[in-house]
Amino acid sequence: MTHDTQAALDRLMRFLAVEGITGQEKAIAEDVAKALVEAGVPAEAIAYDDANTRIPVPTETGNLIVKIPGRGALSNGEPLLFSTHLDTVPLCAGAKARIVGDRIVSGGDTALGGDNRTGCAVLVSLAAELAKQNLDHPPLVLVFCVREESGLWGARYIDLDMVGPVAMGFNYDGSRPADVVTGAVGGDGWSVEIFGRASHAGVAPERGISASMIAAMALADAQAGGWFGKVVKGDKAGTSNVGTVAGRDGRGAGDATNVVTDYCYVEGESRSHDMAFVDAITDAFEAAFVKAAATLVSSEGKTGRVEFKRQRKYHSFAIDRNAPVVQRGIQAIEAIGLTPNPRLVNGGLDANYLTLHGVQTVTFGAGQNEAHTVDEWVDIPAFQNACRLAIALATAR
């Protein structure tokens, strides 16, 4: 499983230099496509789907989908899918990658973008090595998804007809190549608009209905009931978080200290490996807001009201460890001299939707560390092992 390590590292540094935060992936998609052609992939094998026209938030381009015909003794084998995502979190804007020893780091005031430029470099390096070494392999489909970081949108709306039939999938998104991620949590995003009643806070506060106080009462009630943070109820477990507390149009809740707040907006999330428990967590927050609105009564006997909305962000999945996709992953990891570590994770992945679409997909790491922080760094030896692993996965007999 040898490969050109310098070429692989050069690709990674090249991709890290291209900005492409979530929803703005056009430039990095074009550079990945260019690198694929340079690696020997025919231009006609590279295309974009129209997922961006169906994603309900602005997205510059569709998913990049690459079809590589099989070669040699394995050319008639069942097609395999390799996937990763093109986008980074907004904190990566302006990143300046540099190599320090066995690490790639940023300047310290932005995240790096190793999540997921490492995956992009692995897939392009796979295509390059298969062509350069003339290796036998079944037909391959390489998928570079958009908007993973903001809701797995690219994988959710991928054009399955363009992908075509595939036997199994291998996703790159994480730290350690030896990790075989066989399942991940599902999650809800929820939001609530709280409508109170304005009143002069110094003259007649009792006539007002504070939307801010309704929010505070609801969140305190949810926390007291054990529904905030790490949530454990009997044999059920999950997590929740409150991410935004604001007013209209991104402003702060309320207009002045002498006016009872008449509007507040709160949004959060619920996660669990058990989708019924995801619902239970979200239900608990909705009930807390409804209760708080009914509890806070003005001197005129009036109450506020709430409008609670929920959205299923992604579905949990768990693939049996005896499934062919897991066994192929384990065997490939062993083939490159590492010890496999099958595991579940508590974050959403493109594999959530690919598996939901009927393509059982396991996920491997490619050297990312401390993603989504200014301390993000890439483990170069782990990245090189991820490249070796991709070759092993694609060429296994």
Side-chain angles (χ1 to χ4, degrees), residues 297-370:
V297 182
S298 74
S299 60
E300 298 173 337
K302 297 179 179 179
T303 61
R305 63 183 178 88
V306 297
E307 291 185 5
F308 191 95
K309 298 177 182 178
R310 65 181 74 197
Q311 178 188 68
R312 183 58 41 88
K313 294 175 70 174
Y314 40 85
H315 296 258
S316 64
F317 75 101
I319 301 173
D320 189 287
R321 294 190 180 183
N322 292 316
V325 65
V326 179
Q327 289 304 304
R328 190 180 182 106
I330 287 173
Q331 291 162 13
I333 290 170
E334 291 174 340
I336 65 169
L338 301 179
T339 301
N341 177 36
R343 60 191 293 257
L344 303 175
V345 296
N346 291 326
L349 300 162
D350 282 334
N352 287 65
Y353 272 101
L354 293 172
T355 299
L356 183 66
H357 291 324
V359 182
Q360 286 196 327
T361 302
V362 295
T363 299
F364 307 96
Q368 307 168 13
N369 288 276
E370 300 190 59

Side-chain angles (χ1 to χ4, degrees), residues 189-209:
W190 53 261
S191 64
V192 58
E193 291 186 282
I194 306 170
F195 300 91
R197 184 179 187 276
S199 182
H200 195 296
V203 177
E206 71 281 2
R207 295 181 61 193
I209 303 167

Side-chain angles (χ1 to χ4, degrees), residues 104-124:
I104 304 173
V105 300
S106 70
D109 54 355
T110 71
L112 176 64
D115 177 12
N116 202 2
R117 297 294 189 263
T118 56
C120 295
V122 166
L123 266 59
V124 176

Side-chain angles (χ1 to χ4, degrees), residues 228-245:
F228 176 76
K230 186 175 182 179
V231 183
V232 179
K233 301 287 183 180
D235 62 349
K236 305 292 186 181
T239 63
S240 73
N241 187 50
V242 176
T244 300
V245 179

